[in-house]
Amino acid sequence: MRLFSNRARPVHLGPHPVERLPRSPIPSAPPEAWHGRAFASSGGLERPEALPGLRSSVERYAALFSALRNGETADAQAAIPSDVQERSNNLKAQCSFVDADLAGIASIPDSAWAEGRRIHGHNLVLVVAIQWPRLPRAGDPGETWLHDARGAVAEMRAAEVAAVMAHYIRQLGFGAVGHAAGETDLDIPLLAILSGLAEVDAHGALSHPYLGSAYSCAAVSTEMELAPDQPLAPIGGGDRWRVRGLSWFFGWGGTRPGWSRLNGEHRPLHWGPYPMERIKRTESPTTLLTDKIPRVPKRAAFFARALAGDLGPKAQKERARFATKTPNVLAMVPLIRAMVPHQHGPVASDPTPDTDDPDWNADCVKAAAYFLGADMVGISKAPDFAWYSHDDDGSEITPNHRFAITMLIDQGHETMEGASGDDWISGAQSMRAYMRGSEIAGILAEHLRGLGHDARSQTNADSQVLQIPLILLAGLGEMSRIGELVLNPFVGPRFKSVVVTTNLPLTPDKPIDFGLQDFCEKCLKCARECPCHAIPFGPKVMFNGYETWKPDAEKCARYRVTNPKGSACGRCMKTCPYNLEGLLSERLVLWAAINLPFTRKWLAILDDKLGRGLRNKIKRWWWDLEIVDGRAVPPRLGTNERDLNFANILKPEDEKIAHYPADMNPSPDQQDPLPPDRKEGLRRAKEAETPEAALHRLRT
């Protein structure tokens, strides 16, 4: 939670007020003080005699990312600005987008190269820093799992960012190689000092004024011309107040506050950063779920139908590239694909002692997920209807795990603030969250298997479960007007989910009620702003045995895969009133929306009056580029430049919404294209049962 908005803060500056730090062209320590110096390699305490930790799993993923540090460079340079400062700002903003805490640039001196390892033409380096995550307090859940993994997690994340950034630069047509702990050609600590990310403190350790010494670094060497930063200068008496005074302590200017309480560090780790414990819990979800919810095959999902040709040749062609047709996205694809084979694996033969308490296990799992970077975690049973019936190849899926650990990854307010929701950064926002979720779930699932309990990560690349019902059942949100999306009170619809299914004994969380059904009934903003009118203006209906505002899945999928002026679409997320920045002032408004029902209509109107959902040009850091024939070029048809459209309202009776319930799905092994029967789908929508009629029917 922050006191001050970051709306006026350019993304390339990052979350810390680095622009306030004094700089000097000459490092504050002589060469002999910093050459060859290493960062600390562990953030752990003395190892307690307890359950095996997850450090080994983290280190395996770090090695996986480091192996992706190099690759092919596009055969033509992208049409990007020649100004070296603008290029540097873009790279730093991309680093911030993928959650680096700091980023700096330096020229590479000869002494920084390992003997015989110099890469020809690589004269500049981008250095990134990742702060170590905080540990549970002594005796708290997860302590024995996480005690020695702080440094390892930061090093893994640094390796991830280095691999992503190197691939991004290569997509732009410039040679680049990532360097991380254990797989580097460079003296990274030396370069951290030269790029202004580290200094030698009074104790001879490498540190930073805002991160202390608990952080890890990685680097990307490149032939791209950039603007080097200067090293940090000693902080004298006159500078100390400006650097670490009240403005830093309270987060003035929208930076990360120095006051740990505002950053949630006073909360037990397994509670997470958001006060979900204050949200009302219920015995059942706020939308009706019947016992007649059918299982569906993966072949029935409309993205799968587009790929199979059901939506025509154009959608079929674009389906293969719609979310990956920008350099920002392609930078993450190799990492996502590399993690798929590790989603499941062998299970230790005997369960580890002391893993039979479901309450303690649940808290330990949550602590581990938050430690690894999840934004929200909930636990539910994994009912049969939440599992797909058949896999991509038509083979039957047998539900084999009793519980589901569902995690939400925030797609990031800053970038969403600068976007239209369906422009060229939209796909990257999704992919960044999918990448991070795959990493967290993969490590957690591997750790649970090591404890002797079967577990599988269920990711966007390969999932055997439908994640929407599991988000709902895990108490992470309520069904929203957006339809096939559960909305969270603190991050709204601005997230992607990932799931770990497991047989580890766990205590499920209860569903929540924060008044969203009434709010969405009164607010039509997502329906009004939908580019393809896929979101209904009318009331909820019953679909496949559950209550929902049912969107037109065909319209939505067709627009997202064929969007000619952007990558995918997240316009409903961009414009939703619950797309919150995370300010204290917003918490007060959220309290009113939850506790004062009469305010909900007026809050929805106020959201428009305040211009929330408009694009913030200060946050527009990315270049509009489209990958065509392996090259990054200016978009052939331009870019979606949308702001609020107050007149785009339809009467429910004038909508053309189609429903495709389970009995209209393709068969699990359908090979040939099967176009959806839209005429029948429109009829099904018109005749859909109301929730009131369904409830009456079930009671009689």
Side-chain angles (χ1 to χ4, degrees), residues 608-643:
D608 273 341
K609 295 293 186 183
L610 294 175
R612 289 172 52 87
L614 297 174
R615 290 167 297 157
N616 181 349
K617 294 181 180 179
I618 293 174
K619 298 297 185 181
R620 197 185 188 287
W621 58 266
W622 59 93
W623 295 318
D624 287 341
L625 292 168
E626 179 182 8
I627 300 292
V628 180
D629 297 328
R631 298 179 178 182
V633 300
R636 293 167 293 180
L637 297 177
T639 300
N640 288 318
E641 302 280 356
R642 301 184 196 275
D643 282 310

mmCIF file of all heavy atoms in Angstrom, residues 608-643:
data_model
loop_
_atom_site.group_PDB
_atom_site.id
_atom_site.type_symbol
_atom_site.label_atom_id
_atom_site.label_comp_id
_atom_site.label_asym_id
_atom_site.label_seq_id
_atom_site.Cartn_x
_atom_site.Cartn_y
_atom_site.Cartn_z
ATOM 1 N N ASP A 608 -15.939 7.182 -13.857
ATOM 2 C CA ASP A 608 -15.933 7.838 -15.170
ATOM 3 C C ASP A 608 -15.610 9.322 -15.051
ATOM 4 O O ASP A 608 -14.832 9.870 -15.843
ATOM 5 C CB ASP A 608 -17.286 7.662 -15.854
ATOM 6 C CG ASP A 608 -17.377 6.374 -16.653
ATOM 7 O OD1 ASP A 608 -16.325 5.796 -16.976
ATOM 8 O OD2 ASP A 608 -18.510 5.939 -16.948
ATOM 9 N N LYS A 609 -16.216 9.982 -14.084
ATOM 10 C CA LYS A 609 -16.014 11.420 -13.929
ATOM 11 C C LYS A 609 -14.544 11.760 -13.690
ATOM 12 O O LYS A 609 -14.047 12.808 -14.127
ATOM 13 C CB LYS A 609 -16.858 11.959 -12.766
ATOM 14 C CG LYS A 609 -18.369 11.862 -12.987
ATOM 15 C CD LYS A 609 -18.839 12.787 -14.110
ATOM 16 C CE LYS A 609 -20.360 12.782 -14.229
ATOM 17 N NZ LYS A 609 -20.824 13.626 -15.367
ATOM 18 N N LEU A 610 -13.841 10.864 -12.999
ATOM 19 C CA LEU A 610 -12.429 11.086 -12.707
ATOM 20 C C LEU A 610 -11.524 10.692 -13.874
ATOM 21 O O LEU A 610 -10.303 10.841 -13.792
ATOM 22 C CB LEU A 610 -12.027 10.305 -11.454
ATOM 23 C CG LEU A 610 -12.676 10.760 -10.143
ATOM 24 C CD1 LEU A 610 -12.281 9.829 -9.005
ATOM 25 C CD2 LEU A 610 -12.280 12.201 -9.807
ATOM 26 N N GLY A 611 -12.132 10.177 -14.936
ATOM 27 C CA GLY A 611 -11.344 9.794 -16.101
ATOM 28 C C GLY A 611 -10.530 8.538 -15.907
ATOM 29 O O GLY A 611 -9.539 8.307 -16.619
ATOM 30 N N ARG A 612 -10.929 7.710 -14.964
ATOM 31 C CA ARG A 612 -10.195 6.454 -14.748
ATOM 32 C C ARG A 612 -10.464 5.511 -15.921
ATOM 33 O O ARG A 612 -11.598 5.241 -16.260
ATOM 34 C CB ARG A 612 -10.611 5.822 -13.419
ATOM 35 C CG ARG A 612 -10.086 6.615 -12.209
ATOM 36 C CD ARG A 612 -10.659 6.098 -10.906
ATOM 37 N NE ARG A 612 -10.490 4.669 -10.768
ATOM 38 C CZ ARG A 612 -9.414 4.066 -10.257
ATOM 39 N NH1 ARG A 612 -8.397 4.797 -9.842
ATOM 40 N NH2 ARG A 612 -9.355 2.763 -10.169
ATOM 41 N N GLY A 613 -9.408 5.036 -16.519
ATOM 42 C CA GLY A 613 -9.509 4.238 -17.731
ATOM 43 C C GLY A 613 -8.924 4.955 -18.932
ATOM 44 O O GLY A 613 -8.735 4.348 -19.988
ATOM 45 N N LEU A 614 -8.623 6.257 -18.769
ATOM 46 C CA LEU A 614 -7.909 6.979 -19.815
ATOM 47 C C LEU A 614 -6.448 6.530 -19.843
ATOM 48 O O LEU A 614 -5.917 6.041 -18.842
ATOM 49 C CB LEU A 614 -7.969 8.488 -19.568
ATOM 50 C CG LEU A 614 -9.350 9.153 -19.599
ATOM 51 C CD1 LEU A 614 -9.240 10.612 -19.179
ATOM 52 C CD2 LEU A 614 -9.962 9.045 -20.989
ATOM 53 N N ARG A 615 -5.792 6.723 -20.958
ATOM 54 C CA ARG A 615 -4.376 6.382 -21.065
ATOM 55 C C ARG A 615 -3.509 7.466 -20.434
ATOM 56 O O ARG A 615 -3.741 8.649 -20.642
ATOM 57 C CB ARG A 615 -3.984 6.187 -22.535
ATOM 58 C CG ARG A 615 -4.561 4.934 -23.167
ATOM 59 C CD ARG A 615 -4.400 4.974 -24.669
ATOM 60 N NE ARG A 615 -5.157 6.089 -25.255
ATOM 61 C CZ ARG A 615 -4.876 6.637 -26.422
ATOM 62 N NH1 ARG A 615 -3.849 6.209 -27.129
ATOM 63 N NH2 ARG A 615 -5.606 7.626 -26.885
ATOM 64 N N ASN A 616 -2.530 7.051 -19.678
ATOM 65 C CA ASN A 616 -1.571 7.962 -19.054
ATOM 66 C C ASN A 616 -0.292 7.939 -19.894
ATOM 67 O O ASN A 616 0.459 6.967 -19.888
ATOM 68 C CB ASN A 616 -1.291 7.510 -17.624
ATOM 69 C CG ASN A 616 -0.312 8.413 -16.898
ATOM 70 O OD1 ASN A 616 0.329 9.273 -17.497
ATOM 71 N ND2 ASN A 616 -0.183 8.206 -15.597
ATOM 72 N N LYS A 617 -0.032 9.021 -20.627
ATOM 73 C CA LYS A 617 1.094 9.045 -21.558
ATOM 74 C C LYS A 617 2.440 8.896 -20.858
ATOM 75 O O LYS A 617 3.402 8.406 -21.454
ATOM 76 C CB LYS A 617 1.056 10.338 -22.376
ATOM 77 C CG LYS A 617 -0.136 10.434 -23.316
ATOM 78 C CD LYS A 617 -0.107 11.722 -24.134
ATOM 79 C CE LYS A 617 -1.305 11.797 -25.074
ATOM 80 N NZ LYS A 617 -1.307 13.058 -25.873
ATOM 81 N N ILE A 618 2.514 9.295 -19.601
ATOM 82 C CA ILE A 618 3.775 9.172 -18.861
ATOM 83 C C ILE A 618 4.162 7.706 -18.697
ATOM 84 O O ILE A 618 5.341 7.360 -18.650
ATOM 85 C CB ILE A 618 3.654 9.864 -17.488
ATOM 86 C CG1 ILE A 618 3.502 11.372 -17.680
ATOM 87 C CG2 ILE A 618 4.855 9.554 -16.596
ATOM 88 C CD1 ILE A 618 3.235 12.137 -16.405
ATOM 89 N N LYS A 619 3.158 6.828 -18.634
ATOM 90 C CA LYS A 619 3.413 5.401 -18.421
ATOM 91 C C LYS A 619 3.592 4.628 -19.725
ATOM 92 O O LYS A 619 3.790 3.411 -19.691
ATOM 93 C CB LYS A 619 2.258 4.788 -17.634
ATOM 94 C CG LYS A 619 2.074 5.377 -16.243
ATOM 95 C CD LYS A 619 3.273 5.132 -15.355
ATOM 96 C CE LYS A 619 3.031 5.624 -13.931
ATOM 97 N NZ LYS A 619 4.214 5.411 -13.076
ATOM 98 N N ARG A 620 3.542 5.299 -20.846
ATOM 99 C CA ARG A 620 3.667 4.589 -22.125
ATOM 100 C C ARG A 620 5.147 4.483 -22.491
ATOM 101 O O ARG A 620 5.703 5.331 -23.181
ATOM 102 C CB ARG A 620 2.905 5.340 -23.218
ATOM 103 C CG ARG A 620 2.641 4.490 -24.442
ATOM 104 C CD ARG A 620 1.997 5.310 -25.552
ATOM 105 N NE ARG A 620 1.570 4.499 -26.665
ATOM 106 C CZ ARG A 620 2.396 3.935 -27.549
ATOM 107 N NH1 ARG A 620 3.696 4.095 -27.413
ATOM 108 N NH2 ARG A 620 1.922 3.198 -28.546
ATOM 109 N N TRP A 621 5.782 3.414 -22.039
ATOM 110 C CA TRP A 621 7.232 3.265 -22.156
ATOM 111 C C TRP A 621 7.669 2.404 -23.341
ATOM 112 O O TRP A 621 8.835 2.440 -23.740
ATOM 113 C CB TRP A 621 7.776 2.638 -20.872
ATOM 114 C CG TRP A 621 7.166 1.292 -20.560
ATOM 115 C CD1 TRP A 621 6.096 1.055 -19.755
ATOM 116 C CD2 TRP A 621 7.590 0.020 -21.036
ATOM 117 N NE1 TRP A 621 5.817 -0.294 -19.704
ATOM 118 C CE2 TRP A 621 6.727 -0.949 -20.479
ATOM 119 C CE3 TRP A 621 8.619 -0.410 -21.874
ATOM 120 C CZ2 TRP A 621 6.856 -2.313 -20.740
ATOM 121 C CZ3 TRP A 621 8.755 -1.762 -22.141
ATOM 122 C CH2 TRP A 621 7.878 -2.691 -21.565
ATOM 123 N N TRP A 622 6.803 1.580 -23.901
ATOM 124 C CA TRP A 622 7.193 0.577 -24.884
ATOM 125 C C TRP A 622 7.174 1.156 -26.296
ATOM 126 O O TRP A 622 6.560 2.189 -26.567
ATOM 127 C CB TRP A 622 6.250 -0.632 -24.809
ATOM 128 C CG TRP A 622 4.815 -0.256 -25.067
ATOM 129 C CD1 TRP A 622 4.133 -0.279 -26.248
ATOM 130 C CD2 TRP A 622 3.873 0.237 -24.099
ATOM 131 N NE1 TRP A 622 2.847 0.160 -26.097
ATOM 132 C CE2 TRP A 622 2.654 0.493 -24.779
ATOM 133 C CE3 TRP A 622 3.945 0.489 -22.729
ATOM 134 C CZ2 TRP A 622 1.533 0.980 -24.132
ATOM 135 C CZ3 TRP A 622 2.821 0.981 -22.085
ATOM 136 C CH2 TRP A 622 1.626 1.224 -22.790
ATOM 137 N N TRP A 623 7.833 0.453 -27.193
ATOM 138 C CA TRP A 623 7.785 0.782 -28.618
ATOM 139 C C TRP A 623 6.741 -0.101 -29.289
ATOM 140 O O TRP A 623 6.673 -1.302 -29.027
ATOM 141 C CB TRP A 623 9.147 0.538 -29.284
ATOM 142 C CG TRP A 623 10.235 1.443 -28.791
ATOM 143 C CD1 TRP A 623 10.138 2.778 -28.537
ATOM 144 C CD2 TRP A 623 11.601 1.081 -28.506
ATOM 145 N NE1 TRP A 623 11.347 3.279 -28.111
ATOM 146 C CE2 TRP A 623 12.262 2.254 -28.096
ATOM 147 C CE3 TRP A 623 12.319 -0.120 -28.571
ATOM 148 C CZ2 TRP A 623 13.613 2.266 -27.735
ATOM 149 C CZ3 TRP A 623 13.659 -0.106 -28.219
ATOM 150 C CH2 TRP A 623 14.294 1.074 -27.816
ATOM 151 N N ASP A 624 5.941 0.484 -30.174
ATOM 152 C CA ASP A 624 4.975 -0.295 -30.943
ATOM 153 C C ASP A 624 5.722 -0.998 -32.065
ATOM 154 O O ASP A 624 6.162 -0.368 -33.037
ATOM 155 C CB ASP A 624 3.886 0.617 -31.522
ATOM 156 C CG ASP A 624 2.917 1.100 -30.467
ATOM 157 O OD1 ASP A 624 2.848 0.475 -29.401
ATOM 158 O OD2 ASP A 624 2.237 2.115 -30.708
ATOM 159 N N LEU A 625 5.880 -2.300 -31.912
ATOM 160 C CA LEU A 625 6.598 -3.110 -32.896
ATOM 161 C C LEU A 625 5.843 -4.415 -33.101
ATOM 162 O O LEU A 625 5.302 -4.991 -32.137
ATOM 163 C CB LEU A 625 8.025 -3.397 -32.439
ATOM 164 C CG LEU A 625 8.975 -2.198 -32.374
ATOM 165 C CD1 LEU A 625 10.251 -2.568 -31.631
ATOM 166 C CD2 LEU A 625 9.297 -1.675 -33.769
ATOM 167 N N GLU A 626 5.841 -4.900 -34.313
ATOM 168 C CA GLU A 626 5.182 -6.150 -34.663
ATOM 169 C C GLU A 626 6.218 -7.071 -35.313
ATOM 170 O O GLU A 626 6.997 -6.634 -36.159
ATOM 171 C CB GLU A 626 4.037 -5.889 -35.639
ATOM 172 C CG GLU A 626 3.291 -7.140 -36.083
ATOM 173 C CD GLU A 626 2.188 -6.842 -37.087
ATOM 174 O OE1 GLU A 626 2.100 -5.689 -37.558
ATOM 175 O OE2 GLU A 626 1.423 -7.770 -37.400
ATOM 176 N N ILE A 627 6.221 -8.329 -34.896
ATOM 177 C CA ILE A 627 7.124 -9.308 -35.498
ATOM 178 C C ILE A 627 6.498 -9.823 -36.794
ATOM 179 O O ILE A 627 5.414 -10.422 -36.778
ATOM 180 C CB ILE A 627 7.408 -10.486 -34.552
ATOM 181 C CG1 ILE A 627 8.062 -9.992 -33.257
ATOM 182 C CG2 ILE A 627 8.281 -11.528 -35.239
ATOM 183 C CD1 ILE A 627 9.451 -9.462 -33.417
ATOM 184 N N VAL A 628 7.166 -9.577 -37.899
ATOM 185 C CA VAL A 628 6.727 -10.052 -39.212
ATOM 186 C C VAL A 628 7.916 -10.727 -39.885
ATOM 187 O O VAL A 628 8.956 -10.098 -40.074
ATOM 188 C CB VAL A 628 6.202 -8.895 -40.088
ATOM 189 C CG1 VAL A 628 5.757 -9.425 -41.453
ATOM 190 C CG2 VAL A 628 5.047 -8.177 -39.397
ATOM 191 N N ASP A 629 7.757 -12.004 -40.213
ATOM 192 C CA ASP A 629 8.834 -12.774 -40.842
ATOM 193 C C ASP A 629 10.129 -12.691 -40.041
ATOM 194 O O ASP A 629 11.230 -12.537 -40.594
ATOM 195 C CB ASP A 629 9.080 -12.284 -42.276
ATOM 196 C CG ASP A 629 7.870 -12.493 -43.176
ATOM 197 O OD1 ASP A 629 7.137 -13.471 -42.942
ATOM 198 O OD2 ASP A 629 7.659 -11.671 -44.089
ATOM 199 N N GLY A 630 10.011 -12.770 -38.716
ATOM 200 C CA GLY A 630 11.179 -12.802 -37.853
ATOM 201 C C GLY A 630 11.817 -11.459 -37.581
ATOM 202 O O GLY A 630 12.861 -11.397 -36.922
ATOM 203 N N ARG A 631 11.215 -10.374 -38.048
ATOM 204 C CA ARG A 631 11.783 -9.051 -37.846
ATOM 205 C C ARG A 631 10.787 -8.154 -37.117
ATOM 206 O O ARG A 631 9.578 -8.248 -37.344
ATOM 207 C CB ARG A 631 12.164 -8.410 -39.185
ATOM 208 C CG ARG A 631 13.229 -9.187 -39.950
ATOM 209 C CD ARG A 631 13.535 -8.509 -41.272
ATOM 210 N NE ARG A 631 14.582 -9.212 -42.017
ATOM 211 C CZ ARG A 631 15.063 -8.812 -43.179
ATOM 212 N NH1 ARG A 631 14.569 -7.707 -43.752
ATOM 213 N NH2 ARG A 631 16.019 -9.494 -43.785
ATOM 214 N N ALA A 632 11.299 -7.277 -36.266
ATOM 215 C CA ALA A 632 10.462 -6.316 -35.548
ATOM 216 C C ALA A 632 10.304 -5.070 -36.401
ATOM 217 O O ALA A 632 11.282 -4.355 -36.664
ATOM 218 C CB ALA A 632 11.084 -5.975 -34.200
ATOM 219 N N VAL A 633 9.078 -4.802 -36.843
ATOM 220 C CA VAL A 633 8.805 -3.677 -37.746
ATOM 221 C C VAL A 633 7.676 -2.837 -37.165
ATOM 222 O O VAL A 633 6.912 -3.299 -36.309
ATOM 223 C CB VAL A 633 8.416 -4.185 -39.150
ATOM 224 C CG1 VAL A 633 9.539 -5.015 -39.755
ATOM 225 C CG2 VAL A 633 7.116 -4.986 -39.102
ATOM 226 N N PRO A 634 7.536 -1.582 -37.622
ATOM 227 C CA PRO A 634 6.373 -0.786 -37.198
ATOM 228 C C PRO A 634 5.087 -1.514 -37.582
ATOM 229 O O PRO A 634 5.007 -2.132 -38.647
ATOM 230 C CB PRO A 634 6.538 0.518 -37.987
ATOM 231 C CG PRO A 634 8.000 0.606 -38.276
ATOM 232 C CD PRO A 634 8.451 -0.809 -38.473
ATOM 233 N N PRO A 635 4.073 -1.485 -36.724
ATOM 234 C CA PRO A 635 2.823 -2.204 -37.012
ATOM 235 C C PRO A 635 2.263 -1.835 -38.383
ATOM 236 O O PRO A 635 2.143 -0.656 -38.723
ATOM 237 C CB PRO A 635 1.890 -1.762 -35.880
ATOM 238 C CG PRO A 635 2.799 -1.376 -34.768
ATOM 239 C CD PRO A 635 4.011 -0.792 -35.423
ATOM 240 N N ARG A 636 1.906 -2.849 -39.130
ATOM 241 C CA ARG A 636 1.468 -2.628 -40.506
ATOM 242 C C ARG A 636 0.161 -1.852 -40.590
ATOM 243 O O ARG A 636 -0.061 -1.087 -41.533
ATOM 244 C CB ARG A 636 1.328 -3.981 -41.216
ATOM 245 C CG ARG A 636 2.647 -4.704 -41.411
ATOM 246 C CD ARG A 636 2.445 -6.146 -41.815
ATOM 247 N NE ARG A 636 1.846 -6.936 -40.752
ATOM 248 C CZ ARG A 636 1.563 -8.249 -40.853
ATOM 249 N NH1 ARG A 636 1.842 -8.880 -41.981
ATOM 250 N NH2 ARG A 636 1.032 -8.895 -39.845
ATOM 251 N N LEU A 637 -0.723 -2.035 -39.599
ATOM 252 C CA LEU A 637 -2.029 -1.370 -39.638
ATOM 253 C C LEU A 637 -2.201 -0.340 -38.531
ATOM 254 O O LEU A 637 -3.304 0.149 -38.292
ATOM 255 C CB LEU A 637 -3.141 -2.420 -39.558
ATOM 256 C CG LEU A 637 -3.197 -3.407 -40.732
ATOM 257 C CD1 LEU A 637 -4.282 -4.448 -40.500
ATOM 258 C CD2 LEU A 637 -3.450 -2.673 -42.051
ATOM 259 N N GLY A 638 -1.110 -0.017 -37.843
ATOM 260 C CA GLY A 638 -1.189 0.999 -36.805
ATOM 261 C C GLY A 638 -1.463 0.415 -35.429
ATOM 262 O O GLY A 638 -1.264 -0.780 -35.187
ATOM 263 N N THR A 639 -1.948 1.250 -34.529
ATOM 264 C CA THR A 639 -2.129 0.893 -33.128
ATOM 265 C C THR A 639 -3.489 1.348 -32.632
ATOM 266 O O THR A 639 -3.944 2.450 -32.961
ATOM 267 C CB THR A 639 -1.037 1.562 -32.268
ATOM 268 O OG1 THR A 639 0.245 1.113 -32.700
ATOM 269 C CG2 THR A 639 -1.208 1.226 -30.787
ATOM 270 N N ASN A 640 -4.145 0.515 -31.839
ATOM 271 C CA ASN A 640 -5.390 0.927 -31.185
ATOM 272 C C ASN A 640 -5.094 2.051 -30.200
ATOM 273 O O ASN A 640 -4.252 1.891 -29.306
ATOM 274 C CB ASN A 640 -6.022 -0.255 -30.436
ATOM 275 C CG ASN A 640 -6.608 -1.280 -31.386
ATOM 276 O OD1 ASN A 640 -7.248 -0.935 -32.373
ATOM 277 N ND2 ASN A 640 -6.393 -2.562 -31.092
ATOM 278 N N GLU A 641 -5.753 3.166 -30.373
ATOM 279 C CA GLU A 641 -5.573 4.327 -29.493
ATOM 280 C C GLU A 641 -6.929 4.662 -28.891
ATOM 281 O O GLU A 641 -7.629 5.547 -29.347
ATOM 282 C CB GLU A 641 -5.025 5.516 -30.293
ATOM 283 C CG GLU A 641 -3.703 5.261 -30.996
ATOM 284 C CD GLU A 641 -2.506 5.372 -30.066
ATOM 285 O OE1 GLU A 641 -2.702 5.723 -28.882
ATOM 286 O OE2 GLU A 641 -1.378 5.105 -30.527
ATOM 287 N N ARG A 642 -7.315 3.912 -27.861
ATOM 288 C CA ARG A 642 -8.663 4.063 -27.302
ATOM 289 C C ARG A 642 -8.638 4.802 -25.971
ATOM 290 O O ARG A 642 -7.753 4.588 -25.147
ATOM 291 C CB ARG A 642 -9.310 2.695 -27.073
ATOM 292 C CG ARG A 642 -9.460 1.837 -28.312
ATOM 293 C CD ARG A 642 -10.211 0.555 -27.953
ATOM 294 N NE ARG A 642 -10.070 -0.453 -28.980
ATOM 295 C CZ ARG A 642 -10.836 -0.533 -30.063
ATOM 296 N NH1 ARG A 642 -11.802 0.347 -30.234
ATOM 297 N NH2 ARG A 642 -10.641 -1.489 -30.953
ATOM 298 N N ASP A 643 -9.654 5.631 -25.775
ATOM 299 C CA ASP A 643 -9.961 6.168 -24.462
ATOM 300 C C ASP A 643 -11.429 5.846 -24.170
ATOM 301 O O ASP A 643 -12.021 5.008 -24.856
ATOM 302 C CB ASP A 643 -9.657 7.664 -24.403
ATOM 303 C CG ASP A 643 -8.155 7.916 -24.248
ATOM 304 O OD1 ASP A 643 -7.548 7.301 -23.366
ATOM 305 O OD2 ASP A 643 -7.600 8.722 -25.021
#
